[in-house]
Every structure is written in C-alpha cells, then in structure tokens.
Amino acid sequence: MSPVLGILNGVQDEMSTAVAGEKDSFAVAATSLAVAEDELARSSAGTDSAVEEEWWKAEGMPWNHKPGRSDYWCMGWIGFLGIFSLVMLPLRGWLLGLDPPILMGLTGSRTGAAATGALASVGQAPYWFLWLLLGSIMSIKLDWVYWWAGKLWGRGMIEVWAGRSERARRKYDQAEKWARKLGWLGVLVAYVPIPLPIMPVVFVLTGASGMKVRWFVALDFIAATIWNLGYLGLGWGIGDPIVGALKYYAKIANWVAIALLIVILVPIFFKKKQKA
C-alpha cells in the first residue's frame, strides 16, 4: 500500500472508531430524555397517576433510582458527546490537511501523532513534545463523563448501549469481561484499536467500582500519552514517505471534509423525511 493510501485509510479508521460509541451515546440520551418527557406529559394530563412516580423505570433508562439533577446533567453530557463527535468527524479530515500538529493538539488524534512524528523527523515540528502533551489532554477531555455515568448508575449505561440487539449484547458482554479481568490496568489497555467497545466500558466500570476521579484522570492521561507517543514514534520512523503523503493530502483535504459532512447529513435528512 502506498504511503498516501495508508494515511487516508488511517484517517478513515480513526474517525469511524472515534464516532461510533459517542453516536450511540447521543441516541441513548435523546431516547431517554424523550421517554421521560413523554411520560411526564402523560402524568400531567392525569392519564395515569402511577406514571408520575415511576416514569423513570421505563425501558431505555440507565438509572435504577428516581433521577435527580446529577442524573440529568450526566445524561445531557452524554448527548453532547455524540454531537461533538459528529461535528469533529469532518473537521478531523480538514485539520490534517492544515498542519498535523494542529490535528494532534486539538483532538489527541493518533493519525495526527504519527504525522507530527514524521514532520519532527525532518525538523518541521520542533515543539513536538508540547504537541504530545496537549494532544493527551485533548484526548481525555470528556472521558470523565463515562466515569461519572458509572458512578451514578453502575453498569446501567452498558445495559442501555447493548440494547435489544443480541449481537451488540455479546460485544458489550465480551468487552465487560475483559475490563473486569484487567481492573485498573484496563484504563491503559482501553486505547488498543480492537473491534470491541472496550474504552467506554472500561471508563464506566472505573466509576462503578468506586475509583476516585483524580486517579481515573491521571491513569487516563498516562495511557493517552503512552499511545500517542507510540504513534508519534511510528511516524518518526517512517519519516519522509508520510511527509510526502501529507503534502498530497493537503491538496484534497477540503474535499475530504465536504465528503464526510455529506456522509453525516444525508442519513439524518432521509430519516427525518421518512418520519415525516
């Protein structure tokens, strides 16, 4: 495979991986809040007096208690994760075309780390270590939301993610088994690029297990830094071929971003049209 195709495939793989879990999280949040609103509306209309007390037990809710302010805030943040990831999907492709350290620094991107390493190897990224640290911070910036969900609802969020799909349930069960075996080391392994939702499951279980948030954030930062450093070293080792690929990619970056935006918006448009 040519260096150009390798870079482009890496971008596609990373963005699809990054958006998958958060897209489901947004759907969960939207569904849960919609159910809550519907049930409260029916209760206020007086159609069922018991609904007012137990609407929160409806299917699709992650909590096992009547939600309070913290539960609503956490669910709102989970929905924000989905929106943020969808917005960042086309921006990642565009940022890579501008300047690789920018992609790494603003998103904690693995592709950006490899590109930064390649540029550093030819003297074009003199402050690569600062970009590495900034990238690690940006990589973990919203991971605390999953920890919080685990602290509030135990493994309830995992149950909601698994849903009714037997295939999804098997994947999440497998990811949970791995996470429980690894314990706190799971935070370090969560960044392994495997086709399992290991990262969100690990983060939820750290909160459910009672791990202090400061320890979770510290472990998460160390893990992100180690993995970004590995990708940066990989890019450094390859060097010139990646730099050449990036110069080519910069010429088509805007078109890639537009194409990704279309991929996001078209399904949403058709779903709304079908509902109408």
Side-chain angles (χ1 to χ4, degrees):
M1 180 182 293
S2 70
V4 173
L5 290 178
I7 285 291
L8 296 184
N9 285 340
V11 174
Q12 181 182 12
D13 178 67
E14 180 177 343
M15 288 189 293
S16 61
T17 301
V19 77
E22 287 81 357
K23 192 173 182 180
D24 289 341
S25 299
F26 173 65
V28 168
T31 301
S32 299
L33 294 177
V35 171
E37 183 180 357
D38 180 63
E39 296 293 353
L40 286 173
R42 283 196 289 167
S43 67
S44 63
T47 57
D48 189 352
S49 59
V51 168
E52 186 174 2
E53 297 180 0
E54 301 190 355
W55 65 266
W56 48 270
K57 293 182 180 179
E59 188 176 357
M61 302 293 186
W63 40 64
N64 54 11
H65 57 269
K66 190 169 184 178
R69 180 178 299 178
S70 295
D71 302 288
Y72 290 126
W73 271 106
C74 187
M75 185 59 74
W77 274 105
I78 288 173
F80 173 76
L81 277 171
I83 297 173
F84 181 80
S85 294
L86 290 176
V87 170
M88 286 304 300
L89 187 58
L91 286 181
R92 284 172 181 257
W94 180 64
L95 288 171
L96 182 62
L98 287 181
D99 190 359
I102 290 179
L103 176 63
M104 182 185 183
L106 294 184
T107 68
S109 161
R110 298 188 297 270
T111 302
T116 300
L119 289 177
S121 70
V122 296
Q124 295 184 28
Y127 303 107
W128 62 267
F129 187 70
L130 295 179
W131 286 112
L132 172 67
L133 296 180
L134 179 59
S136 297
I137 293 172
M138 297 306 294
S139 178
I140 71 170
K141 60 188 176 297
L142 293 174
D143 291 349
W144 59 270
V145 176
Y146 293 119
W147 173 90
W148 194 19
K151 179 178 174 60
L152 289 173
W153 312 319
R155 62 183 305 277
M157 202 66 216
I158 300 174
E159 285 286 336
V160 176
W161 280 328
R164 297 180 179 180
S165 168
E166 187 61 32
R167 182 180 178 184
R169 185 168 293 277
R170 285 197 302 268
K171 288 178 62 177
Y172 277 97
D173 285 345
Q174 190 175 357
E176 187 173 357
K177 288 178 182 177
W178 275 97
R180 291 191 182 280
K181 286 181 180 178
L182 292 168
W184 66 269
L185 287 174
V187 178
L188 302 177
V189 182
Y191 288 82
V192 177
I194 57 176
L196 281 177
I198 187 75
M199 182 178 286
V201 170
V202 165
F203 293 168
V204 165
L205 290 180
T206 57
S209 68
M211 180 184 289
K212 299 293 185 182
V213 67
R214 62 177 179 272
W215 289 113
F216 167 72
V217 172
L219 281 172
D220 198 19
F221 177 79
I222 292 171
T225 302
I226 291 173
W227 280 95
N228 279 339
L229 186 60
Y231 281 99
L232 191 146
L234 180 63
W236 190 303
I238 297 175
D240 286 336
I242 292 184
V243 175
L246 289 170
K247 290 179 180 178
Y248 171 82
Y249 181 80
K251 298 177 181 179
I252 62 171
N254 290 336
W255 295 108
V256 172
I258 292 172
L260 290 171
L261 192 60
I262 293 173
V263 168
I264 294 171
L265 295 178
V266 168
I268 296 175
F269 172 77
F270 278 107
K271 283 183 181 180
K272 287 186 177 180
K273 192 173 182 180
Q274 288 176 355
K275 288 182 180 180

